[in-house]
Amino acid sequence: MTVRTALLQGQQLLEAAGIQVPRLTAEVLLMRATGHDRSWLHAHGNDELIEVWWIHYGRYLHQRLNGEPTQYITGRQEFYGREFRVTPDVLIPRPETEHLIEAALTREPATILDIGTGSGAIAVTLALETKARVTATDISLAALRLAQQNAQRLDARAAFVACDLGAALAGGSFDLVVSNPPYIAERDHASLPPEVRNHEPAAALFGGPDGLAIYRRLIPEAARLLRPGGWLMMELGDSVAVRDMCTGWINVEIANDLAGIPRVLVAQKP
Ligand SMILES: C[S@@+](CC[C@H](N)C(=O)[O-])C[C@H]1O[C@@H](n2cnc3c(N)ncnc32)[C@H](O)[C@@H]1O
């Protein structure tokens, strides 16, 4: 079995199962199995796969055909130009969350808090892209462990704290609070793609019956944690209802993503 044939067969299997971007997925899985990059695969199309590569590739294809997200199989996801390790303990960082990074970079905070850090994608990125002192919380110890590993691997300095929202932290401490909270409505569970529904952690996805439960607690908690004049930046699902929860805040604005979906809410503590 050559590299080219393996790619073709993988692509055909994935295509027949209705998996999106089958060619790219086959390439990513074969890259992982062989430990080589895409240019190697293309330059060595006629090489025979050694047995151990074939065994790994077959297993990865099987996992993907069973609905496991590619990122959990490879253990990696790129975010803001860096590679993060991911496991089923954390949400796979999404490209739309990079809008939150862009919003944060418009300010020059000295202290940043990321609430619900998951893989650490936001906290680690902001620690590397700014001079700020970064703290990150999560309610999941497994997520915090992975976030800490990502910080170490990428040489980022951040403090990781296990607590409910920011409960373990002193009030008035931060210039910027960022968060991509769980915001899917529990009633939408059945309509989620099976990759998401069956594999990503429920605590990272669901925000109560209407998807807004965490925002209801997060907004007053951010008001406690921010210094006067500090900023809150949160990712939104597609709901602008969160804006109505920001009474008492000033300069409240919502920015759309590239698809025109309301994506980032920014608000300033008076
Ligand atoms: C949507 S994920 C975001 C992960 C990561 N920040 C990202 O953008 O990829 C939400 C995260 O919030 C965490 N979380 C859920 N409820 C929480 C709570 N009450 N306090 C702290 N973290 C919470 C989950 O464990 C999960 O890691």
Side-chain angles (χ1 to χ4, degrees):
M1 167 79 61
T2 65
V3 167
R4 184 173 296 114
T5 317
L7 281 176
L8 191 65
Q9 287 191 1
Q11 177 183 349
Q12 287 168 345
L13 281 169
L14 294 163
E15 206 162 10
I19 305 277
Q20 284 182 353
V21 289
R23 175 70 187 190
L24 181 66
T25 304
E27 285 184 358
V28 168
L29 297 181
L30 193 55
M31 281 157 53
R32 176 78 176 128
T34 62
H36 289 296
D37 62 14
R38 181 169 288 117
S39 56
W40 186 94
L41 293 188
H42 291 168
H44 292 80
N46 293 325
D47 284 15
E48 288 290 321
L49 284 195
I50 60 173
E51 193 182 353
V52 67
W53 290 350
W54 177 236
I55 291 168
H56 286 316
Y57 182 54
R59 194 177 72 239
Y60 299 156
L61 280 171
H62 182 71
Q63 286 175 268
R64 187 67 194 96
L65 290 166
N66 277 337
E68 243 179 89
T70 305
Q71 293 90 335
Y72 288 153
I73 300 170
T74 62
R76 293 162 166 77
Q77 171 63 21
E78 199 218 272
F79 182 78
Y80 212 78
R82 297 184 181 87
E83 190 180 272
F84 285 78
R85 294 292 148 86
V86 291
T87 69
D89 288 323
V90 299
L91 187 95
I92 298 165
R94 306 294 206 268
E96 54 266 32
T97 302
E98 295 185 352
H99 290 287
L100 204 52
I101 302 294
E102 296 293 348
L105 295 180
T106 62
R107 308 274 146 204
E108 290 187 355
T111 47
I112 298 175
L113 171 62
D114 172 25
I115 294 182
T117 197
S119 63
I122 297 171
V124 168
T125 301
L126 290 178
L128 293 170
E129 296 289 332
T130 71
K131 295 188 174 68
R133 213 167 61 242
V134 176
T135 305
T137 69
D138 206 291
I139 204 154
S140 156
L141 285 176
L144 283 171
R145 266 194 297 274
L146 186 69
Q148 204 152 22
Q149 284 166 19
N150 275 321
Q152 270 161 10
R153 222 175 36 78
L154 292 166
D155 212 9
R157 285 178 59 126
F160 295 95
V161 181
C163 63
D164 179 21
L165 301 180
L169 305 170
S173 314
F174 296 96
D175 297 326
L176 174 62
V177 171
V178 287
S179 184
N180 173 20
Y183 53 63
I184 297 173
E186 275 158 7
R187 58 173 176 251
D188 293 338
H189 181 277
S191 60
L192 289 175
E195 273 101 333
V196 175
R197 193 177 62 218
N198 298 336
H199 295 277
E200 297 202 74
L205 297 175
F206 299 107
D210 63 356
L212 301 174
I214 294 281
Y215 293 106
R216 289 192 186 94
R217 294 198 299 122
L218 176 60
I219 293 168
E221 179 64 342
R224 181 184 75 80
L225 292 160
L226 285 168
R227 64 160 177 77
W231 293 85
L232 167 62
M233 299 183 182
M234 299 179 297
E235 181 165 321
L236 303 177
D238 56 2
S239 169
V240 291
V242 180
R243 182 197 280 271
D244 298 334
M245 299 178 197
C246 294
T247 46
W249 293 75
I250 58 173
N251 295 318
V252 181
E253 280 176 21
I254 292 180
N256 291 352
D257 64 16
L258 298 176
I261 297 170
R263 190 55 73 189
V264 176
L265 183 144
V266 171
Q268 188 176 22
K269 178 173 165 174

